[in-house]
Amino acid sequence: MESILENEKQILKNNELIRSKKQYNEYEMIMKIYQKAIENTLKRIEDIKQELNENYEYNIISNVTSRIKSSESILEKMKKKKLDISYENMIENINDIAGIRIVCNYKDDIYKIRNTIRKQKDIKVLKEKDYIKKTKKSGYSAYHIIIEVPVEIKEEKIYVKVEIQIRTVLMDFWATAEHKVKYKPIKKISNINSIKLAIYAKIINYINDKMRTIVEY
């Protein structure tokens, strides 16, 4: 297996999570555990996809992606939360180090997926946030679930946190565009563009609802 840090261009000397070879090795080991948690969750999502297809006779899940949060992003989030920089605090308080995104076609499919995840016997649901019924101020809309999945480490079973985000295709399109605009390195997004994004999110939400009624007609 390739080093979990290969995707990071370099390890910064002032990164408080990785300041020595020993810390590097420890960090890499922890990230491999998160990677294994993602792999186990992806296998379970594939089972969920087949179950939903059989129950509803159409492809509810259209796309699934995953990622491990970079050390820089983890560190930034820990500082934002005003946490002491340690691996114990990282594991305990940063819930989205391992992330999976499920994309489906219709808004009600999101809740079908959520309900099926809840029924999985060896998955622990820790926290849920419904940004569909109550969207963020920015206009962001999705369903977030923090789960714990079992991972075998040296014949010992441990539970590792994974964040699952469930969105429709249109919600995913908006969120991807908003992220690109919001995190442009050159200049900060203007107030007028923030307002426009929020308006476009409402339009997308309206289209989400109307597309379902057409399909059901």
Side-chain angles (χ1 to χ4, degrees):
M1 180 180 179
E2 288 187 33
S3 168
I4 207 69
L5 300 175
E6 285 297 324
N7 292 330
E8 297 190 41
K9 292 183 179 179
Q10 61 178 359
I11 302 173
L12 303 178
K13 290 182 179 180
N14 62 347
N15 189 315
E16 295 166 62
L17 281 170
I18 312 168
R19 279 183 165 169
S20 66
K21 180 66 175 177
K22 182 180 178 181
Q23 284 181 316
Y24 175 95
N25 292 337
E26 188 174 358
Y27 178 82
E28 187 175 46
M29 181 189 68
I30 293 169
M31 292 302 112
K32 284 181 179 178
I33 294 172
Y34 278 109
Q35 183 63 43
K36 185 64 177 175
I38 282 180
E39 291 168 5
N40 291 352
T41 307
L42 289 173
K43 289 177 184 176
R44 182 51 57 86
I45 290 171
E46 185 59 34
D47 293 338
I48 288 171
K49 180 179 180 178
Q50 292 179 12
E51 179 183 339
L52 289 169
N53 289 352
E54 290 172 6
N55 290 342
Y56 296 98
E57 299 183 341
Y58 70 95
N59 291 325
I60 288 183
I61 296 175
S62 62
N63 188 39
V64 181
T65 56
S66 63
R67 63 102 184 97
I68 294 286
K69 211 173 188 68
S70 71
S71 60
E72 290 179 348
S73 295
I74 293 170
L75 185 60
E76 183 180 344
K77 196 159 191 178
M78 290 183 75
K79 288 181 176 180
K80 189 175 180 180
K81 287 175 172 281
K82 298 181 179 178
L83 299 170
D84 290 336
I85 307 303
S86 69
Y87 291 138
E88 290 78 12
N89 278 334
M90 179 185 78
I91 293 166
E92 181 67 27
N93 297 286
I94 308 301
N95 296 330
D96 63 344
I97 294 172
I100 290 176
R101 183 179 302 156
I102 301 175
V103 179
C104 55
N105 290 318
Y106 308 112
K107 195 185 291 186
D108 57 330
D109 290 341
I110 291 173
Y111 296 100
K112 291 171 186 172
I113 296 166
R114 177 206 64 183
N115 292 341
T116 309
I117 291 172
R118 284 175 173 176
K119 290 190 297 183
Q120 303 306 303
K121 291 181 180 179
D122 60 346
I123 288 179
K124 300 177 182 179
V125 176
L126 301 182
K127 192 175 182 179
E128 300 180 53
K129 286 187 178 180
D130 190 340
Y131 295 116
I132 300 165
K133 292 180 179 176
K134 189 176 181 181
T135 60
K136 288 187 176 183
K137 187 178 179 181
S138 65
Y140 176 83
S141 185
Y143 200 97
H144 290 197
I145 307 177
I146 306 297
I147 63 169
E148 280 186 334
V149 295
V151 173
E152 294 284 343
I153 304 294
K154 295 180 180 179
E155 299 182 353
E156 181 183 354
K157 183 187 288 187
I158 64 171
Y159 280 84
V160 182
K161 292 178 188 175
V162 177
E163 182 192 60
I164 300 176
Q165 298 178 1
I166 315 173
R167 307 171 179 172
T168 67
V169 173
L170 290 174
M171 290 174 187
D172 189 54
F173 167 76
W174 182 93
T176 302
E178 189 260 358
H179 186 270
K180 286 182 179 178
V181 172
K182 188 175 179 181
Y183 292 97
K184 273 186 177 179
I186 299 173
K187 59 181 180 179
K188 190 177 179 181
I189 184 171
S190 65
N191 288 334
I192 188 66
N193 282 335
S194 293
I195 293 168
K196 284 180 180 179
L197 280 168
I199 293 170
Y200 298 156
K202 289 180 181 179
I203 294 170
I204 283 174
N205 187 53
Y206 175 81
I207 294 171
N208 263 318
D209 291 334
K210 290 303 178 183
M211 286 299 292
R212 191 54 172 160
T213 59
I214 291 171
V215 172
E216 291 174 344
Y217 180 69

